[in-house]
Amino acid sequence: MLAFVVRHSLLLMFLIAVLGFLLPGISLAIFPFLPIVLFFLMALTLLGMKQKLLVERLKSFAVWRYALLHSFMMMLVVALFAKLLSFDHDLLLAVVGVAATGSLFATPAIIRALGFDSLGAMAMTIASTLLLPISIMMALLLFQEGRIDLDLVTYFIRLVIFIFGPMLISFIVHGFCPEEKLQRVLAKISPYTILLVFAFPFGLVGSFRLLFDEDPWMALNYFLIAIGLCCIFFGLAYCFYQRCGKAVALTAALTSANRNVLLTYSIAGGLLGPAFLPMVGALQIPTSVLPVIVRWLNKVLKD
């Protein structure tokens, strides 16, 4: 059964997102537990990476150039589009908050399933995640109206727990456990991480369903905006890296489009306004479709 789930994980991710929309009660019940799932997913993903090779990748200027594109360039482009389309303040803050968000920690697993460079995707993911405190603070300073009532102590505690905590655990375990034994254990555990990945589209889409029940027309607008955001993130990253070859371009594009919005919400909370969670929910369906699209593009595009 698990082998079937792993083999069809890309399609199942989309179906899980749709199921969460159809079962909003269960989706909303799971939502409070998602930060715990996020912590373990980040830790398990990092444990599965060879630390020395990962650190070498993180020393590369190319990785940090990607992170700047992922965060600040996308924030600028999204803010310009939002201004041109006359988004209200709450919606503007929500879409810029999404653009400030680092890549999803499940992305390397998806990249691996597509046959691309998962280690490179992990380096990009970590770099964009490390920039998150700066990018999200910039988004709040520029686009949140009035005084920013940010509890810095709570903010940094959340940063330590959700970003630096999993990284520290990974380095400690790799430092004290024999590599061969660790890899055997991880080989048994890693297939189950896909079940953790499924929790996010299912648990996050419920807030979008609430908006749909309250105002279907506004929900449709949010859904179209979510599709537009995915297209911007994916399209710009692909164009920027196209000269590096198809595999690199598709890896960068998918890494850019997959956004760890729950991490941003866990760190910044309600500071991102009432539109952020419904927008996050709306993003789950187009985001979950992207891996299937990338698999198709990989077949039809030429290097």
Side-chain angles (χ1 to χ4, degrees):
M1 180 63 182
L2 182 60
F4 174 84
V5 170
V6 172
R7 188 165 58 252
H8 300 285
S9 57
L10 300 182
L11 177 60
L12 286 174
M13 199 173 302
F14 166 69
L15 296 177
I16 288 290
V18 174
L19 186 63
F21 181 82
L22 297 175
L23 302 172
I26 302 176
S27 173
L28 293 169
I30 288 176
F31 176 75
F33 299 98
L34 289 182
I36 301 172
V37 178
L38 174 66
F39 178 88
F40 283 107
L41 177 63
M42 291 174 71
L44 287 171
T45 304
L46 284 167
L47 281 172
M49 295 287 171
K50 294 182 178 180
Q51 301 299 293
K52 290 182 180 180
L53 294 177
L54 185 57
V55 170
E56 287 299 317
R57 290 292 187 97
L58 284 170
K59 291 178 181 178
S60 166
F61 171 74
V63 167
W64 292 99
R65 181 180 60 184
Y66 165 82
L68 293 173
L69 168 72
H70 180 104
S71 300
F72 302 112
M73 178 73 75
M74 296 300 181
M75 286 173 63
L76 176 61
V77 172
V78 166
L80 288 175
F81 272 106
K83 289 287 188 180
L84 287 173
L85 295 173
S86 301
F87 286 7
D88 63 41
H89 166 257
D90 289 337
L91 188 53
L92 172 62
L93 182 58
V95 296
V96 173
V98 171
T101 298
S103 185
L104 186 66
F105 259 71
T107 302
I110 298 171
I111 294 295
R112 185 187 299 113
L114 291 166
F116 298 147
D117 179 15
S118 61
L119 189 67
M122 175 53 80
M124 292 176 179
T125 297
I126 291 176
S128 63
T129 301
L130 289 175
L131 287 184
L132 175 60
I134 302 171
S135 61
I136 203 65
M137 184 67 76
M138 185 180 293
L140 292 171
L141 288 171
L142 292 176
F143 298 104
Q144 189 189 54
E145 292 181 345
R147 186 173 65 90
I148 300 176
D149 187 18
L150 179 61
D151 184 345
L152 289 177
V153 174
T154 302
Y155 181 78
F156 284 109
I157 288 174
R158 288 174 174 175
L159 285 179
V160 170
I161 291 173
F162 290 106
I163 296 179
F164 300 111
M167 293 180 181
L168 179 62
I169 289 172
S170 177
F171 275 100
I172 290 174
V173 172
H174 276 275
F176 285 93
C177 292
E179 193 67 25
E180 185 178 343
K181 183 178 180 181
L182 178 60
Q183 292 304 319
R184 284 203 304 270
V185 173
L186 290 173
K188 296 179 180 179
I189 296 175
S190 59
Y192 294 94
T193 58
I194 193 65
L195 302 179
L196 300 181
V197 175
F198 288 161
F200 297 105
F202 186 86
L204 288 171
V205 77
S207 56
F208 176 63
R209 174 59 188 269
L210 290 182
L211 177 63
F212 179 83
D213 291 340
E214 181 180 336
D215 190 338
W217 180 246
M218 182 179 290
L220 177 61
N221 287 335
Y222 272 50
F223 183 65
L224 294 176
I225 292 169
I227 294 174
L229 288 175
C230 286
C231 290
I232 289 172
F233 299 149
F234 187 93
L236 284 181
Y238 183 85
C239 291
F240 191 84
Y241 282 93
Q242 189 176 16
R243 67 183 186 278
C244 300
K246 178 181 68 173
V248 174
L250 288 176
T251 297
L254 186 57
T255 305
S256 177
N258 279 342
R259 300 268 161 164
N260 199 347
V261 284
L262 180 65
L263 179 60
T264 299
Y265 182 77
S266 299
I267 291 172
L271 291 172
L272 291 165
F276 185 73
L277 269 184
M279 178 56 63
V280 164
L283 275 166
Q284 298 312 303
I285 295 177
T287 299
S288 63
V289 172
L290 277 175
V292 179
I293 294 175
V294 170
R295 185 166 57 186
W296 172 75
L297 286 173
N298 187 41
K299 294 178 180 178
V300 299
L301 292 176
K302 297 181 180 179
D303 285 308

